[in-house]
């Protein structure tokens, strides 16, 4: 099981934020507890694109020190999409290629459906 932090740098008031996500919610919450992020900042899958926390860069540094894996925001986005479709984040290194293949397969399926009509 793994916790990930992306390299997004989004301004939120005086803070700069990134995403923290994990293979499981239990692991995600455990890391949030470890680095001092309150549960009320959790963004549940029912309300967002996937279970995650938006965390300040200072908390990101703590998460990395505690074992979180650094990923790009593109990998985080692709991993969240894969989780919505397959139920699993999967390996970060393969996330963007998985998304490209998924989109290509979906486009081919749609073309096949149109050709039948």
């Amino acid at each position: 099981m793994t916790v990930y932090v992306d390299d997004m740098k989004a301004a939120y008031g005086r803070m700069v934020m990134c995403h923290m996500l994990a293979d499981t919610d239990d692991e995600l919450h455990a890391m949030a507890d470890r680095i001092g992020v309150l549960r009320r900042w959790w963004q549940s899958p029912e309300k967002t694109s996937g279970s995650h926390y938006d965390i300040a860069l200072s908390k990101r540094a703590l998460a990395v020190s505690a074992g979180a894996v650094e990923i790009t925001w593109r990998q985080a986005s692709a991993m969240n999409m894969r989780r919505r479709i397959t139920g699993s984040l999967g390996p970060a290194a393969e996330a963007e290629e998985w998304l490209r293949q998924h989109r290509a397969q979906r486009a081919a399926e749609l073309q096949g459906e149109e050709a039948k009509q």
Side-chain angles (χ1 to χ4, degrees):
M1 301 294 176
T2 307
V3 175
Y4 303 92
V5 289
D6 71 11
D7 61 357
M8 183 184 78
K9 292 184 174 99
Y12 183 73
R14 296 177 308 137
M15 294 183 291
V16 178
M17 310 294 281
C18 69
H19 297 112
M20 180 171 71
L21 56 154
D23 291 324
T24 67
D25 284 346
D26 288 343
E27 190 171 28
L28 180 64
H29 297 316
M31 179 63 81
D33 292 343
R34 191 174 306 132
I35 65 173
V37 175
L38 299 176
R39 183 71 56 98
R40 72 174 182 231
W41 296 109
W42 175 52
Q43 297 189 31
S44 67
E46 297 81 25
K47 297 179 181 178
T48 65
S49 62
S51 180
H52 72 282
Y53 285 89
D54 290 344
I55 59 172
L57 295 186
S58 60
K59 297 296 185 181
R60 182 187 190 278
L62 292 173
V64 170
S65 293
V69 174
E70 297 175 282
I71 60 174
T72 69
W73 64 268
R74 290 180 187 272
Q75 287 172 312
S77 177
M79 291 166 74
N80 261 332
M81 176 67 80
R82 182 168 44 196
R83 177 167 50 192
R84 280 195 303 274
I85 294 167
T86 70
S88 172
L89 289 174
E94 300 168 6
E96 290 179 78
E97 180 59 28
W98 178 90
L99 184 57
R100 276 191 284 280
Q101 289 178 4
H102 172 74
R103 288 179 174 160
Q105 179 182 355
R106 185 71 182 122
E109 289 170 358
L110 290 173
Q111 285 179 346
E113 290 173 15
E114 288 175 1
K116 290 178 185 178
Q117 294 177 3

